[in-house]
Amino acid sequence: MQTIVRVLQGLDTIGGNIVAFEREDSRVVMDFGTTFGPTNDDTQSLLTERKLPNIPEFFLSEVKGHFTHNAIFISHLHIDHMGALQYLADTVDVYMSPEAIQLYLTLQSLNSEPATKANLKPIFPEKPVQVGELTVTAYLSDHDITGAYMFRIQDGFHEFVHSGDVRYDGPHSERVDYWTKILHDNQPDLFFIEGTEFSFENKSQHRETEASLLLDFEKVLQQTNELVVINPYQRNIERLFSLQMIARKMGRELVWNHEFATILKNQTAKHVHEIAVDVSWSEIEQEPNKYVVQNSFNDLNDLNKMNNFVYLHMNGEPLGDYDGRYAILENYLTVRNIPLQLMGASGHATETDLLKIAAAVNAKLTVPWHSFKPELENRALQKLGLKTNLPHLDEPMIFED
């Protein structure tokens, strides 16, 4: 018998990385994201253009597959890792962390995520899930979103690993230490490791972390009596709560828009303040030094109510100049004579930390992906003495029992 591993997307892109593990009548698919924005293209066109993975039976109800046991496992709820779920034609079991399920359902209720035919099922840390001949175990990891996992896939003879997106300088590096040691002790046959940071040249010498971001935020609150406006990413729940805690510590209330407030209320019993519900713009205008306001791009003109404010861009949308809205944001602030202060932190490990993780795992075969330049990471891994592979799309990697 044998297990076949096929990379379906994401070999030279950041995100959209999808891999299938197949054995007998059983198949598990790791992550199910997209790298494209909203489109009017029909599903068949997306398949033909390879914008969706080559699993037509998942997307076209008239196509029947031969796997009796099928499941998709989502490492975390970033669009580039789960955005294709909206295109499912029939009900498919989709596993993700309980926190990710809660967030996903909330986003759907807010129309921030399209409906899906996914049959959402929770997978709990270190509680194996059986899908036919394959066993999947999740491990908590560190990324800039709630409920991020690393996955181990076992067939009784081999062990395969999908790192998911990972960093080593976040608030939960101990999670990464924990699973790298477990993997090292078992030496996996195959280790898929992300390589986002190998994509970019001319990196800044200063790397912001979640911890330093929070310290910088506190310093801003200490140094100004103006209203402070933040534009964070809605799915980084842990950061949002930390920002709220620091604001209260500094004598300010953080006020959220409806979408953010709903997400936070559904994630905790703690009270959050919503703009125009708990706090009015009139109250903020009268005492701006008592508030921090979360402002999304779509609500940008709400800031016309204020004569002056400090604007902190914290990985919210639009994230960078590749997005046409970024120029609009820059122009709006320039006209208002307000500096655009960047205060973001990456969810991805540095090049050095990626190599450290790969060396610690010491798999029999390591595959770099989730990068514009996987060949750079590949060479760096080889210099460490690791055996690597840069597969082609749909190329079967065969593991015999």
Side-chain angles (χ1 to χ4, degrees):
M1 291 176 60
Q2 61 186 20
T3 296
I4 298 175
V5 182
R6 302 178 194 271
V7 177
L8 304 176
Q9 297 276 53
L11 285 174
D12 57 2
T13 58
I14 295 179
N17 52 324
I18 303 170
V19 59
F21 300 85
E22 306 165 357
R23 185 176 179 85
E24 295 272 290
D25 63 349
S26 309
R27 175 175 58 189
V28 298
V29 176
M30 293 288 137
D31 279 342
F32 214 64
T34 57
T35 56
F36 58 89
T39 176
N40 293 323
D41 293 347
D42 59 76
T43 303
Q44 182 61 69
S45 297
L46 294 173
L47 282 167
T48 301
E49 296 168 11
R50 284 311 304 264
K51 292 182 177 179
L52 291 175
N54 187 24
I55 317 176
E57 62 269 30
F58 277 8
F59 305 107
L60 303 173
S61 55
E62 66 271 19
V63 178
K64 303 302 178 186
H66 69 275
F67 291 101
T68 305
H69 305 282
N70 266 307
I72 298 170
F73 290 79
I74 303 298
S75 64
H76 62 282
L77 212 65
H78 281 154
I79 293 171
D80 61 329
H81 290 262
M82 46 65 65
L85 293 177
Q86 64 180 290
Y87 297 101
L88 290 174
D90 294 307
T91 301
V92 179
D93 288 344
V94 176
Y95 290 88
M96 59 182 76
S97 68
E99 298 89 345
I101 289 177
Q102 176 65 62
L103 177 57
Y104 194 24
L105 293 175
T106 300
L107 292 170
Q108 289 183 61
S109 73
L110 292 166
N111 295 317
S112 296
E113 276 292 339
T116 176
K117 292 187 177 180
N119 180 28
L120 300 178
K121 292 188 171 185
I123 177 170
F124 298 93
E126 300 184 60
K127 301 294 184 183
V129 169
Q130 198 72 30
V131 181
E133 298 291 323
L134 299 168
T135 304
V136 178
T137 307
Y139 290 79
L140 286 171
S141 196
D142 191 358
H143 189 38
D144 57 347
I145 190 168
T146 186
Y149 278 154
M150 174 277 284
F151 288 121
R152 293 170 75 189
I153 306 94
Q154 296 164 305
D155 63 8
F157 299 89
H158 307 97
E159 178 167 323
F160 315 101
V161 180
H162 169 32
S163 74
D165 287 358
V166 61
R167 62 184 171 185
Y168 222 162
D169 57 4
H172 303 294
S173 60
E174 77 285 350
R175 296 176 180 175
V176 184
D177 283 327
Y178 177 70
W179 60 251
T180 52
K181 183 180 186 309
I182 290 174
L183 296 179
H184 174 83
D185 292 344
N186 290 275
Q187 196 180 35
D189 294 271
L190 184 62
F191 180 40
F192 283 91
I193 185 169
E194 69 128 305
T196 303
E197 288 299 322
F198 278 90
S199 302
F200 310 110
E201 299 177 359
N202 304 318
K203 299 180 183 66
S204 170
Q205 295 301 308
H206 172 71
R207 176 177 164 95
E208 192 86 88
T209 66
E210 294 292 339
S212 65
L213 181 151
L214 296 176
L215 287 174
D216 289 344
F217 176 60
E218 185 170 336
K219 288 178 184 176
V220 169
L221 297 184
Q222 289 174 336
Q223 295 169 358
T224 183
N225 286 320
E226 301 287 351
L227 173 68
V228 174
V229 176
I230 62 171
N231 182 9
Y233 184 49
Q234 63 185 190
R235 305 189 189 196
N236 193 343
I237 306 296
E238 188 169 359
R239 180 190 294 178
L240 300 182
F241 280 130
S242 295
L243 293 170
Q244 179 168 279
M245 180 183 69
I246 290 172
R248 287 179 177 170
K249 170 186 168 185
M250 302 302 295
R252 295 184 183 231
E253 190 58 57
L254 210 164
V255 188
W256 309 93
N257 71 11
H258 176 68
E259 185 173 21
F260 275 70
T262 302
I263 291 170
L264 292 173
K265 288 173 184 176
N266 286 352
Q267 291 286 330
T268 180
K270 296 179 182 178
H271 183 65
V272 297
H273 286 74
E274 182 177 341
I275 194 77
V277 174
D278 302 297
V279 179
S280 68
W281 273 108
S282 176
E283 291 175 284
I284 296 170
E285 289 177 73
Q286 291 172 17
E287 296 183 288
N289 63 323
K290 288 189 176 181
Y291 297 99
V292 175
V293 170
Q294 170 268 319
N295 181 263
S296 296
F297 178 81
N298 290 339
D299 303 323
L300 194 59
N301 287 331
D302 286 351
L303 300 179
N304 293 341
K305 300 176 176 66
M306 303 301 300
N307 292 325
N308 198 22
F309 53 88
V310 174
Y311 188 93
L312 308 178
H313 197 50
M314 295 179 165
N315 299 114
E317 295 183 2
L319 186 56
D321 55 14
Y322 57 85
D323 187 327
R325 298 173 299 170
Y326 196 79
I328 297 173
L329 172 63
E330 288 183 308
N331 182 66
Y332 175 85
L333 294 174
T334 299
V335 170
R336 299 288 309 274
N337 197 31
I338 293 171
L340 171 60
Q341 297 187 48
L342 302 180
M343 195 176 287
S346 176
H348 300 279
T350 64
E351 293 181 11
T352 299
D353 285 342
L354 287 169
L355 297 177
K356 178 181 176 180
I357 292 169
V361 171
N362 192 32
K364 296 174 186 175
L365 187 65
T366 302
V367 175
W369 66 339
H370 196 282
S371 172
F372 293 141
K373 299 176 181 177
E375 67 281 358
L376 296 184
E377 185 176 14
N378 191 63
R379 288 198 290 269
L381 291 167
Q382 289 177 342
K383 287 181 180 179
L384 295 177
L386 295 172
K387 185 178 179 181
T388 64
N389 184 31
L390 289 175
H392 299 290
L393 285 182
D394 300 325
E395 174 187 25
M397 289 183 278
I398 300 173
F399 294 83
E400 301 281 357
D401 294 353

